[in-house]
Amino acid sequence: MDSLSSTFIVTTTHFQFQHWNPKPPKKKPKIPIKSSSRVRPDPWSLSDGNDITKPKPRSKNRKRPLSDDNARRILKAKAQYLSVLRRNQGPTAATPKWIKRTPEQMVKYLEDDRNGHLYGKHVVAAIKAVRAMDGSRNVRVVMGSFVGKLSFREMCVVLKEQKGWRQATEFFAWMKLQLSYRPCVVVYTILLRLYGQVGKIKLAEQTFLEMLEAGCEPDEIACGTMLCTYARWGNHKAMLTFYSAVKERGIVPSTAVFNFMLSSLHKKSYHRKVIDLWRQMMDKGVAPTDFTYTLVISSFVKGSLLEEALKTFNEMKSTGFAPEEVTYSQLISLSIKHGKSDEALSLYKDMRSRGLIPSNYTCASLLSLYYKNENYSKALSLFSEMEKFKVAADEVIYGLLIRIYGKLGLYEDAQKTFAETEQLGLLSDEKTYLAMAQVHLTSRNVEKALDVIELMKSRNMWLSRFAYIVMLQCYAMKEDLGSAEGTFQTLAKTGLPDAGSCNDMLNLYIKLDLTEKAKGFIAQIRKDQVDFDEELYRSVMKIYCKEGMVTDAEQLVEEMGKNGSLKDSKFIQTFSKILHGGCTENAEFGDKFVASNQLDLMALGLMLSLYLTDDNFSKREKILKLLLHTAGGSSVVSQLICKFIRDGDISNAEIIYDIVMKLGYILEDEVTASLIGSYGKHQKLKEAQDVFKAATVSCKPGKLVLRSMIDAYAKCGKAEDVYLLYKEATAQGCALDAVAISILVNTLTNYGKHEQAEIIIHNSFQDNLDLDTVAYNTCIKAMLGAGKLHFAASIYERMLSFRVPTSIQTYNTMISVYGRGRKLDKALEMFNTARSLGLSLDEKAYMNLVSFYGKAGNRLSPSPY
């Protein structure tokens, strides 16, 4: 390319076209042919020596040589050739008209010495002579016999017909020594094309420079030939530099040349350059072909320029070109990546309307879209279309099918698909193995997931980072700490661990109650500057808040605020708001700082638990205010108090409860009931009464609160208070549930308050309370203990009439009721009923029945066995 810098590329201002008009060659004198005026020409013959009065001979053998040197033999041979050609072409072949020549044309035909060939004999001989040169003989010696016999045009023909660049170079050097030679852009273009075909770029550049020095101005074809040479051999820098020079001189290459350049750039993935060249092509008004559109759309797709790709695609269709399947496939895939599902589906519909059958790649793109959108019905219909059009599924499609089955919970079908993929010999990609392993993980079948990974290892498959990530998930779910730590170390050797793997390890430490290891792990990943995601931040903050690590928590919040990808996270914004005193001018978040009524409830709960361990009363109160002012915040406070109660941390539960009461808020009944129940369990009746009183100051107690207070009285042995509470509740119109009735009746029965228990049972029946199996069993047992056998039997009859399910305890108690009343037949009937229902009878049922038979003196009664 450097050799061209002297004239063509550098000198741009002095470039002018100079059209060279060669002198026309002197015409040879025509040879006159005399004919007799008395004889008319034979319309069936080209000769002029036949007698018109004699019929045309039918003999195949000519009588004497014709005066026109066997011209008739030549024409007959030509006619036979055309006849054979027509027969080979079939019945639809067009029959050419017979060639008629004047005598003058016939003489010229014979002088050319072509004998029906494309070139004359001397031209053909020259072509063969030049082709036969092997470098050992001088071209002047070889071409000595042709000096003066070849015209300039015939020399160009000889040059054009050469196949070797050396022979062409030597012949061109000889050609320039001939008198008939004249410098012309045509001959240089022939040589440029030959050099370009064999990759002799330096020679082509030297020839182009020689053409300029000879005063031949390059035209569109010559410049296009050089551009195609550069494009063919991947010399793109020189190609674009040369094109810039061509463009400055006002030469516009043809569509074919542009296609050649675009194709060369596209093959090397220079998609930005393809797009730039395409835009220049459009500015010059060069008409693109369907090949041009296909290349350019592909480059737009590779550059992820969806809008430009779709615009070019629509222009292609409006021009009348039919897009190929690969073009639709690329646009569908790019639309899916940009989240434009409707556009992708519209493209697929348009493709099907044109009768194009989707390829594997198109089907895989659509299946991934349906999988992502959980539109499994369309995925199945696409599979049906694939079967209809006999589109063979590849490993990618089988992998997607495995994932779809996993999402639908069809684990056996996923396993069958995996086995089918292996039987077809398509199982080669680790993604398919890992898809099956993840399906097993989803079904909580860790061992099978590990078996799939072991299968990969046994087949000497290279394990990627993703494989180690899935393996870590398996060991974390299995709670195999040693294997999980080993896998994590191997993963760390391939680069910084991902946030998901760190989160798996941290959750494993928390699950195994290894708090110190969790702290050390957090310190290590922070030191290694692992890129945290929101889930990992949440897990780390849980540890810090649980352990009261206020300083570490505040440092982590500062780090989270600097993470630009998490600026819109409500979780992080909530932490930052609390730490910055509720200031809305936070430098890290700016105008996007979250409003007070849109705070993250989990973050507030974690910060509240953090400051509970720090004894920071002002922070506690501030966080509680924020929580209670946030929609759903009251529920979070209630859940936090209940969590503290379940964990046995009653002191923190009391702190939060007292602050909430001080702020004038009323918590959910579940919190009040849990707190009263905890006090009752620890025999703190006064505290339970205080909580109950505070909850019932402005409203009637709910069923849950009332039941908890009754249970607290029962656990503290206050039977009288239990009955008084019942009377107060019924007087206020409070409804009791089945559990509260069970506790009431059982407590009064245990303390010998049978009359009160009977009153409660009667009232429950009168109020048509919805009692369950346990409540009925409790009532039957209470009346059995009070000696009210008839009432106990009526309770059982009521239970059956209301279709309340019976249990083994029901029949054990009724055997005792009928046994004490000396109704052994009824007792035996209860026993047999229990057996017929398939209930598992225990030893107590047998002993009760035997005991009552024994007491009645019926020793010879039939055995229930």
Side-chain angles (χ1 to χ4, degrees), residues 582-600:
C583 177
T584 58
E585 300 297 329
N586 190 315
E588 300 294 341
F589 295 103
D591 296 335
K592 288 189 176 182
F593 195 80
V594 68
S596 297
N597 61 345
Q598 296 178 348
L599 298 171
D600 187 84

Side-chain angles (χ1 to χ4, degrees), residues 730-748:
T730 53
Q732 294 177 4
C734 298
L736 298 174
D737 58 7
V739 179
I741 297 296
S742 296
I743 296 172
L744 280 168
V745 172
N746 189 54
T747 302
L748 293 174

Side-chain angles (χ1 to χ4, degrees), residues 128-372:
K128 291 181 180 180
V130 176
R131 285 183 180 178
M133 290 192 305
D134 55 359
S136 60
R137 299 178 62 189
N138 194 324
V139 65
R140 294 189 179 184
V141 176
V142 174
M143 299 301 294
S145 61
F146 294 95
V147 174
K149 293 183 179 181
L150 295 174
S151 66
F152 175 73
R153 182 173 182 177
E154 289 171 341
M155 287 191 293
C156 289
V157 170
V158 174
L159 182 64
K160 181 174 71 71
E161 292 296 329
Q162 298 308 308
K163 297 182 179 179
W165 65 273
R166 287 186 177 89
Q167 292 85 343
T169 304
E170 293 178 4
F171 177 76
F172 182 65
W174 176 85
M175 181 177 173
K176 290 186 289 185
L177 299 175
Q178 305 307 306
L179 294 175
S180 61
Y181 173 79
R182 58 183 183 275
C184 177
V185 69
V186 175
V187 66
Y188 283 106
T189 303
I190 294 172
L191 200 58
L192 289 174
R193 181 178 291 110
L194 185 59
Y195 287 149
Q197 290 173 352
V198 295
K200 297 297 177 180
I201 298 179
K202 289 294 182 182
L203 287 176
E205 290 174 343
Q206 292 172 6
T207 303
F208 194 87
L209 181 60
E210 180 183 335
M211 178 179 66
L212 295 175
E213 292 173 351
C216 300
E217 296 300 335
D219 59 2
E220 173 190 335
I221 300 176
C223 293
T225 303
M226 281 299 298
L227 289 172
C228 291
T229 298
Y230 288 129
R232 180 192 295 272
W233 299 103
N235 199 342
H236 299 111
K237 184 177 179 181
M239 180 189 77
L240 294 175
T241 304
F242 189 85
Y243 173 70
S244 298
V246 171
K247 184 172 58 174
E248 289 178 4
R249 285 157 177 80
I251 300 175
V252 180
S254 64
T255 303
V257 175
F258 272 111
N259 286 348
F260 218 110
M261 292 192 292
L262 291 171
S263 177
S264 180
L265 293 170
H266 187 273
K267 286 178 181 178
K268 294 297 181 181
S269 299
Y270 296 147
H271 300 297
R272 178 56 59 186
K273 294 180 180 179
V274 171
I275 295 171
D276 293 340
L277 187 60
W278 156 259
R279 289 170 178 164
Q280 295 177 30
M281 180 181 176
M282 292 295 97
D283 293 341
K284 295 295 182 182
V286 180
T289 63
D290 54 347
F291 180 73
T292 317
Y293 280 115
T294 302
L295 284 176
V296 174
I297 292 172
S298 177
S299 292
F300 278 129
V301 170
K302 298 294 184 181
S304 193
L305 302 173
L306 179 60
E307 297 299 329
E308 289 85 350
L310 290 175
K311 180 181 177 182
T312 309
F313 176 75
N314 293 328
E315 180 183 336
M316 178 183 185
K317 292 195 298 182
S318 63
T319 310
F321 294 116
E324 299 177 356
E325 194 278 338
V326 65
T327 304
Y328 279 103
S329 182
Q330 290 174 336
L331 290 173
I332 289 171
S333 177
L334 185 61
S335 299
I336 293 172
K337 288 180 181 178
H338 282 251
K340 296 190 174 183
S341 305
D342 295 337
E343 185 68 39
L345 296 175
S346 175
L347 285 167
Y348 179 70
K349 184 178 180 181
D350 183 32
M351 183 185 77
R352 293 295 302 117
S353 67
R354 292 177 178 267
L356 295 176
I357 298 177
S359 64
N360 285 344
Y361 185 79
T362 306
C363 294
S365 299
L366 290 172
L367 285 174
S368 64
L369 172 64
Y370 296 145
Y371 173 76
K372 182 180 178 181

Side-chain angles (χ1 to χ4, degrees), residues 630-798:
T630 305
S634 176
S635 176
V636 174
V637 175
S638 300
Q639 292 175 12
L640 188 60
I641 295 174
C642 292
K643 180 180 179 299
F644 284 136
I645 294 172
R646 286 194 303 270
D647 296 341
D649 191 358
I650 192 67
S651 59
N652 278 332
E654 288 175 338
I655 291 171
I656 299 175
Y657 179 80
D658 292 340
I659 295 175
V660 172
M661 291 295 103
K662 180 182 175 182
L663 294 173
Y665 289 91
I666 298 176
L667 294 174
E668 297 175 358
D669 284 354
E670 182 183 359
V671 179
T672 306
S674 298
L675 202 55
I676 293 172
S678 178
Y679 286 137
K681 181 179 179 180
H682 294 88
Q683 303 293 310
K684 295 181 178 181
L685 185 58
K686 185 179 182 306
E687 288 82 352
Q689 289 174 331
D690 292 340
V691 173
F692 181 76
K693 184 178 179 181
T696 57
V697 170
S698 59
C699 60
K700 296 189 296 183
K703 291 183 180 180
L704 197 59
V705 175
L706 196 55
R707 181 210 303 169
S708 298
M709 195 63 223
I710 291 171
D711 187 53
Y713 278 132
K715 289 178 179 177
C716 294
K718 301 294 183 179
E720 291 293 339
D721 293 330
V722 166
Y723 187 66
L724 289 175
L725 180 60
Y726 167 75
K727 291 177 65 177
E728 291 176 3
T730 53
Q732 294 177 4
C734 298
L736 298 174
D737 58 7
V739 179
I741 297 296
S742 296
I743 296 172
L744 280 168
V745 172
N746 189 54
T747 302
L748 293 174
T749 302
N750 290 339
Y751 285 93
K753 307 291 185 180
H754 298 295
E755 292 182 3
Q756 290 88 337
E758 186 176 358
I759 292 172
I760 291 174
I761 294 171
H762 279 293
N763 291 340
S764 300
F765 291 165
Q766 289 176 2
D767 295 336
N768 291 323
L769 293 182
D770 188 14
L771 303 181
D772 57 8
T773 302
V774 176
Y776 274 107
N777 288 345
T778 304
C779 293
I780 294 172
K781 185 178 179 181
M783 292 302 98
L784 174 63
K788 303 284 187 176
L789 302 180
H790 181 71
F791 188 31
S794 66
I795 294 174
Y796 173 72
E797 296 296 334
R798 178 184 175 88

